[in-house]
Amino acid sequence: MTITHLVTHSGGFHADELLSSVILTRLFPDAKLLRSRDAAAITPSANKIIYDVGRDYDASQQIFDHHQRPNPLRDDGQPYSSFGLIWKHFGHDYLRAMSVPDADVDDIHASFDKGFVLPIDLLDNGAMNPSVAGPLAGLTLSSLLETLKPVFDDRSPQADDEAFQAALLVARAFVEASIKGKAAKRRAEAMVTEAINSAGASPILELPMGMPFRSAVEKAGADHLLFVIHPRDDDWALTTIRKGGDTFESRADLPAAWAGLTDTALENVTGVKGAKFCHNGLFIAVADTRDAALKMAQLATSEAA
């Protein structure tokens, strides 16, 4: 089967069909993206995928709308938008097209659905009030993508379609960055887990480069770890480990006497040759060499004990 047309509705656009288009145009790059409400255009056929229009959801007919009644719901009763339906049926193939390893496809599919797709679905269906984001309500992805619509008094015939194509590039950047980040996080977890095993009982974790580490530390139950060191271009970083994803509080801060110091001043306070910088927030310090970073980490550990 060859898909020659990807069909969604014309006129103003929303995040759900825009993000659906990101998925489908990646999988079917040679298909024509058609925005129309013409009856012939939105009539199912073997060479079309129709989404967010058509008043029907029938995967066997390749039509994925959610505006009809009854509307399609997840197993937990939460509503789908067209994005959720497209992700459900095409998301696994999209992840493989993004070179996600097969072993990670199911986990990343579920994670992306929960953290990225579902909020779009809920907002599009009015099942979640934008006000839950408080002062950040105007900065949700749905809101930001819709700011890319033409202004109200731009009445040129191609205004909506041209704006849609421009917005598609922005939407694609967000989707691909999220997927690449999730895949990278899994690569990092494997490297961090290996480093945790090498560290043994030490409270200092040494990594081969900067990378996300807190998730792997928590999964490993490595509660004894307090600080992380790793190379960073021409120097080494010493960082704290946050207590959780919803707080900036660290398991242990760097010594208060280091706050805001640089170069000679920091060397004098620490007694470590090569100490270069410590942030006022006491969550990161920098040293010239691995030995210097390790010595600073050891001093911070002693003070935290």
Side-chain angles (χ1 to χ4, degrees), residues 8-200:
T8 190
H9 62 80
S10 55
F13 56 84
H14 298 94
D16 65 327
E17 80 268 19
L18 189 60
L19 292 162
S20 297
S21 300
V22 170
I23 306 305
L24 294 173
T25 55
R26 174 80 181 204
L27 291 175
F28 306 100
D30 296 327
K32 179 180 180 180
L33 177 55
L34 176 63
R35 302 183 71 240
S36 175
R37 296 182 187 272
D38 180 77
I42 61 175
T43 298
S45 68
N47 64 338
K48 296 180 189 174
I49 296 175
I50 302 165
Y51 54 103
D52 209 43
V53 69
R55 300 282 178 175
D56 196 12
Y57 165 45
D58 184 346
S60 68
Q61 295 293 308
Q62 298 176 162
I63 182 168
F64 303 91
D65 198 9
H66 67 106
H67 296 100
Q68 65 278 3
R69 289 290 179 266
N71 59 313
L73 303 174
R74 286 177 163 79
D75 291 340
D76 61 4
Q78 297 188 96
Y80 282 109
S81 74
S82 63
F83 187 32
L85 295 175
I86 292 298
W87 185 250
K88 175 183 178 181
H89 291 277
F90 297 95
H92 287 84
D93 288 339
Y94 176 81
L95 293 174
R96 294 185 182 97
M98 287 286 292
S99 300
V100 172
D102 285 344
D104 295 333
V105 164
D106 286 344
D107 284 346
I108 291 180
H109 186 276
S111 174
F112 187 75
D113 183 69
K114 179 180 179 181
F116 195 114
V117 181
L118 179 60
I120 300 293
D121 286 357
L122 295 179
L123 284 168
D124 188 82
N125 282 283
M128 179 167 54
N129 193 319
S131 65
V132 299
L136 300 179
L139 297 178
T140 64
L141 183 57
S142 291
S143 296
L144 290 173
L145 290 175
E146 291 190 28
T147 66
L148 302 176
K149 293 179 180 180
V151 293
F152 79 97
D153 52 357
D154 182 353
R155 308 311 302 164
S156 59
Q158 299 303 314
D160 285 324
D161 286 347
E162 289 175 355
F164 185 92
Q165 289 295 333
L168 184 58
L169 298 176
V170 177
R172 187 183 309 282
F174 278 107
V175 172
E176 291 186 356
S178 179
I179 296 302
K180 289 176 181 177
K182 289 179 182 297
K185 182 179 178 181
R186 280 156 179 77
R187 295 196 301 273
E189 285 183 354
M191 298 172 71
V192 174
T193 299
E194 182 178 351
I196 291 171
N197 292 334
S198 297

Side-chain angles (χ1 to χ4, degrees), residues 132-297:
V132 299
L136 300 179
L139 297 178
T140 64
L141 183 57
S142 291
S143 296
L144 290 173
L145 290 175
E146 291 190 28
T147 66
L148 302 176
K149 293 179 180 180
V151 293
F152 79 97
D153 52 357
D154 182 353
R155 308 311 302 164
S156 59
Q158 299 303 314
D160 285 324
D161 286 347
E162 289 175 355
F164 185 92
Q165 289 295 333
L168 184 58
L169 298 176
V170 177
R172 187 183 309 282
F174 278 107
V175 172
E176 291 186 356
S178 179
I179 296 302
K180 289 176 181 177
K182 289 179 182 297
K185 182 179 178 181
R186 280 156 179 77
R187 295 196 301 273
E189 285 183 354
M191 298 172 71
V192 174
T193 299
E194 182 178 351
I196 291 171
N197 292 334
S198 297
S202 172
I204 302 167
L205 178 66
E206 181 175 344
L207 299 176
M209 66 186 75
M211 65 183 71
F213 58 79
R214 186 177 52 80
S215 175
V217 168
E218 291 178 352
K219 285 184 179 180
D223 297 335
H224 62 290
L225 291 173
L226 300 179
F227 300 104
V228 176
I229 64 170
H230 63 79
R232 194 190 67 164
D233 295 327
D234 296 329
D235 52 30
W236 280 69
L238 161 62
T239 65
T240 61
I241 300 175
R242 285 164 52 189
K243 289 185 174 180
D246 58 353
T247 179
F248 288 111
E249 186 179 358
S250 297
R251 294 182 176 186
D253 290 331
L254 298 173
W258 300 2
L261 299 183
T262 61
D263 302 326
T264 302
L266 186 57
E267 286 184 340
N268 289 338
V269 167
T270 61
V272 176
K273 180 69 173 176
K276 293 176 62 176
F277 165 78
C278 182
H279 196 282
N280 269 321
L282 299 173
F283 61 87
I284 185 171
V286 178
D288 274 339
T289 65
R290 174 187 179 276
D291 286 346
L294 183 58
K295 288 176 183 177
M296 292 175 72

